[in-house]
Amino acid sequence: MPLHLPEGKTLAVSIGADFDAHSVWMGTFNLSSPSYLSRGEFCAEVGVPRLISLFERYGVRATWCTPGHSMVTFPERFREIVDAGHEIAAHGCYHEGVPSLDLDTERRLMAAQLAQHEKLVGVRPRGYRSPAWDFTDGTMRILEENGFEWDSSLMGRDFEPYHPRPVTVGWEEGSSFGPPSPLLEFPVSWFLDDFPVAEYIPGVNQGLGSSEVMFQRWKDHFDYAYQHVPSGVLALTVHPQTIARAHNLIGFEKLIDYMRGHEGTWFAGLSEIYDTWTED
């Protein structure tokens, strides 16, 4: 395996905390009523402190995928994340709907979010997670142009990082692949995301699903990877406004405790995991 984890570690676990706050409602769902914005406020004012405290108790270093909009709207909460030593990854300017962007707009918004990172974090992000995990045909090229090392938005594997390839869609003749990107992809999955299960959006997402079923699914993924994918990586995606609700947080803490109880589990940020990658 190209991942060479630290000595004694057999499975990397990445917790990606998407600090979307207001932006997911405004950008992805085009909703900005006081009701929806209050859910984003819960994300920042309640969810972020709860997650920081949880991660501190278990010695977890997470990758916080943070839109620029959240950084400037809730600067005190964002600074708490940075001061706690967590990694900050790019996650859009305002959780924009990427597939709707033309190439010039996509480049402009990328430049804007990178400028926000340089100003508010002090460094450019090494990695990117697309808002709502979607790309245009030009997204990967824009990431390469801006020197990103990794992406975590695509679903071509489950527990193994890989180099994604551009696809030219063919119908009768079949699709064809271009050359692999130099970026390393840390694959994600809607099965490993709390938002679709738990967030109720009238007429859009039913949500309100069983947290016990969700955590059992996550446990099953962990068990399979731990047993069958040596030196693999399990990438979980959580949202402070979702996972930090009381019933979800109780289950999430039990899951972290369960995973930590398995010898060889390594909780790390995605850039830390990236640094163990070799091309041999």
Side-chain angles (χ1 to χ4, degrees), residues 106-120:
E106 191 173 3
R107 280 200 170 101
R108 179 179 64 79
L109 292 179
M110 179 61 73
Q113 65 188 280
L114 291 177
Q116 289 167 326
H117 276 262
E118 290 177 338
K119 178 180 179 181
L120 299 173

Side-chain angles (χ1 to χ4, degrees), residues 60 85 110 114 132 176 252 278:
V60 171
M110 179 61 73
L114 291 177
S176 59
F252 192 39
T278 60

Side-chain angles (χ1 to χ4, degrees), residues 10-246:
T10 58
L11 179 68
V13 175
S14 161
I15 297 177
D18 290 6
F19 181 17
D20 294 338
H22 287 172
S23 67
V24 67
W25 304 115
M26 298 162 52
T28 294
F29 297 106
N30 195 30
L31 297 168
S32 58
S33 72
S35 177
Y36 282 100
L37 294 183
S38 71
R39 290 165 71 170
E41 184 175 355
F42 178 93
C43 171
E45 302 299 347
V46 180
V48 167
R50 285 180 179 175
L51 279 190
I52 290 175
S53 176
L54 176 65
F55 294 155
E56 183 179 8
R57 290 200 303 275
Y58 284 91
V60 171
R61 185 170 187 265
T63 296
W64 290 72
C65 303
T66 306
H69 189 276
S70 298
M71 298 182 192
V72 298
T73 304
F74 298 100
E76 294 180 0
R77 293 305 185 200
F78 179 64
R79 178 47 52 186
E80 290 175 6
I81 297 169
V82 175
D83 289 347
H86 297 290
E87 176 181 21
I88 307 298
H91 191 43
C93 191
Y94 51 85
H95 216 276
E96 56 272 13
V98 173
S100 68
L101 305 177
D102 60 53
L103 190 61
D104 288 343
T105 302
E106 191 173 3
R107 280 200 170 101
R108 179 179 64 79
L109 292 179
M110 179 61 73
Q113 65 188 280
L114 291 177
Q116 289 167 326
H117 276 262
E118 290 177 338
K119 178 180 179 181
L120 299 173
V121 186
V123 295
R124 290 169 69 94
R126 298 175 63 185
Y128 175 78
R129 172 166 289 160
S130 172
W133 291 341
D134 218 339
F135 272 27
T136 69
D137 289 340
T139 302
M140 189 61 72
R141 184 165 71 252
I142 292 172
L143 296 177
E144 293 169 1
E145 291 169 356
N146 284 281
F148 282 96
E149 296 173 327
W150 58 263
D151 173 70
S152 187
S153 315
L154 305 178
M155 308 182 191
R157 307 288 188 276
D158 49 7
F159 306 117
E160 298 172 312
Y162 69 103
H163 292 289
R165 299 172 291 171
V167 179
T168 300
V169 175
W171 299 96
E172 296 178 12
E173 69 278 17
S175 300
S176 59
F177 293 95
S181 171
L183 270 77
L184 189 64
E185 184 68 35
F186 290 106
V188 292
S189 169
W190 290 113
F191 291 112
L192 298 173
D193 188 309
D194 58 351
F195 199 97
V197 175
E199 286 295 343
Y200 175 65
I201 310 170
V204 177
N205 188 61
Q206 184 62 35
L208 306 179
S210 167
S211 59
E212 291 184 2
V213 170
M214 178 177 70
F215 288 118
Q216 181 63 48
R217 182 184 301 129
W218 292 6
K219 177 181 175 294
D220 289 346
H221 277 78
F222 172 83
D223 287 343
Y224 183 91
Y226 188 85
Q227 295 171 24
H228 300 292
V229 190
S231 297
V233 55
L234 173 67
L236 295 172
T237 302
V238 299
H239 300 76
Q241 62 189 294
T242 308
I243 203 68
R245 295 285 177 180

